[in-house]
Amino acid sequence: MELTSTRLIAAVLALSLMGAFPVVHAQAEPPPPEGGTPIAPSTTENKGFTPPDAHSIPDNEFGEIVKKGQDIFMRTGDYAKGYVGNSMNCVSCHLDAGRRADSSPLWAAYVLYPAYRSKNKRVNTLAERLRGCFRYSMNGIAPPADSETIVALQSYMYWLAQRAPTGVKLEGQGYPRLDEPAQRPDYVRGQRVYEQNCALCHGAEGQGQKAEGKMVFPALWGDDSFNWGAGMHSVSTAAAFIKANMPLGKAGSLTDQEAWDVAQYMNSHERPQDPRYEGSIEQTRKEFHDEPTDLYGQIVNGKTLGQDSTPPGGTLRPMKR
């Protein structure tokens, strides 16, 4: 059901600008120290860091690119339409315009790249990391590394991270990791948590909520959500995000067990196929999803997850990929 009240639409859109969106992509911890990559120590530093005021973007040529990056970040489907295959925005996972601590803020991510990533087993530049977000979380296609889209997003991140130390883990980076739950995450318990705390915004079937044709609360599964290659498909990552940021306006109100359970429920549903899939669910799981909290290729409610996925690319599928 779409929201139709003008007053309610305005309120929802205002909330969205404050960061009222869950899901999609980014890691719960900084890249591991594999391959000798010099990365953040285990302890946090610069505890007092805050990004610059949102209204202090300079009024010059550089500021124009920063503003463009902010626009792309907030309304990705409008400003980077040719690369987005679903209705999500960057702010869906990085709340408060990428500023909020413990919501994988951009200022904390910027200072950790280049870095080795086990996801693709090589050192990634920040541009490559951003390109992956479009491919997986946006279920789209990766913009060229030198495109205006990537340059603008990097410029916005640079501006947010100004005066932050490089190569250290800043307090609030990523999503705070949760300890292993007392009980194994459970679909049925998670469904109850979802119905009581999440369905009002994200819909009974995880389809999200729209206002005037625009998605303001993103789809959590199904064809309009992130695909099986996105970081948020991991139950541990989703649980960490949910615990720290959801429900909207009541962050931290769920117990750790409830966060694990509802993440299990959310990720027990089909979503678009992993773009790395080459015809075999078993091989794709072995190569890219061989983790205990990864449900891809597992049997849930009698169905193998990934078996009935639609092809990746969403609305961009007619385009040459």
Side-chain angles (χ1 to χ4, degrees), residues 185-191 205 221 264-270 295 297-308:
D186 182 76
Y187 180 99
V188 175
R189 290 197 307 265
Q191 183 175 19
E205 301 300 324
W221 61 84
Q264 179 85 6
Y265 174 73
M266 181 181 86
N267 285 345
S268 291
H269 293 82
E270 252 333 340
L295 297 178
Q298 302 286 14
I299 298 175
V300 177
N301 295 333
K303 296 183 178 181
T304 301
L305 292 175
Q307 192 68 55
D308 297 324

Side-chain angles (χ1 to χ4, degrees), residues 4 7 10 27 88 103 106-107 113 146 151 155 160-161 169 173 179 186 190 220 225 252 257 273 296 317 320:
T4 56
R7 180 176 296 178
Q27 53 201 35
M88 301 191 74
S103 182
L106 299 189
W107 44 266
Y113 283 88
D146 61 352
V151 171
S155 299
L160 285 173
K169 179 182 178 182
Q173 186 269 344
D179 292 334
D186 182 76
L220 302 185
S225 189
Q257 185 68 58
Q273 185 60 262
Y296 180 89
R317 278 201 300 268
K320 183 178 180 180

Side-chain angles (χ1 to χ4, degrees), residues 74-123:
M74 298 297 294
R75 296 169 58 190
T76 318
D78 290 336
Y79 289 94
K81 185 176 181 179
Y83 305 115
V84 178
N86 57 23
S87 63
M88 301 191 74
N89 299 290
C90 299
V91 74
S92 298
C93 290
H94 311 273
L95 307 188
D96 191 21
R99 303 171 64 88
R100 185 183 296 183
D102 296 331
S103 182
S104 201
L106 299 189
W107 44 266
Y110 181 85
V111 300
L112 293 179
Y113 283 88
Y116 181 89
R117 298 190 70 218
S118 57
K119 182 170 185 173
N120 55 19
K121 297 179 174 59
R122 62 174 179 266
V123 172

Side-chain angles (χ1 to χ4, degrees), residues 125-266:
T125 63
L126 180 58
E128 187 170 9
R129 181 70 176 88
L130 291 170
R131 295 179 76 229
C133 292
F134 281 91
R135 189 182 183 203
Y136 300 114
S137 296
M138 300 299 181
N139 192 32
I141 57 177
D146 61 352
S147 65
E148 185 177 61
T149 294
I150 296 298
V151 171
L153 285 171
Q154 287 187 98
S155 299
Y156 180 51
M157 295 178 74
Y158 169 83
W159 177 77
L160 285 173
Q162 59 185 284
R163 298 186 178 87
T166 300
V168 299
K169 179 182 178 182
L170 300 178
E171 185 177 47
Q173 186 269 344
Y175 310 134
R177 184 177 292 278
L178 292 183
D179 292 334
E180 292 293 324
Q183 297 176 281
R184 185 175 179 176
D186 182 76
Y187 180 99
V188 175
R189 290 197 307 265
Q191 183 175 19
R192 289 197 294 267
V193 176
Y194 184 85
E195 291 170 349
Q196 294 167 6
N197 298 277
C198 315
L200 179 64
C201 291
H202 297 287
E205 301 300 324
Q207 75 275 17
Q209 291 272 18
K210 292 183 178 181
E212 296 184 343
K214 298 289 185 181
M215 190 73 79
V216 291
F217 295 108
L220 302 185
W221 61 84
D223 285 352
D224 210 22
S225 189
F226 55 92
N227 65 43
W228 280 113
M232 199 63 73
H233 87 277
S234 167
V235 174
S236 60
T237 300
F241 173 87
I242 291 166
K243 173 65 178 181
N245 296 286
M246 293 291 133
L248 180 64
K250 298 194 297 180
S253 62
L254 297 181
T255 66
D256 287 6
Q257 185 68 58
E258 288 173 328
W260 278 100
D261 288 342
V262 76
Q264 179 85 6
Y265 174 73
M266 181 181 86

Side-chain angles (χ1 to χ4, degrees), residues 281-295:
I281 297 292
E282 295 77 12
Q283 187 62 29
T284 304
R285 176 170 176 82
K286 181 179 179 180
E287 290 187 29
F288 307 113
H289 299 274
D290 192 17
E291 296 291 338
T293 62
D294 193 327
L295 297 178

Side-chain angles (χ1 to χ4, degrees), residues 44-59:
T44 57
E45 295 189 13
N46 209 53
K47 294 181 181 296
F49 179 80
T50 55
D53 184 88
H55 301 291
S56 65
I57 297 175
D59 187 18

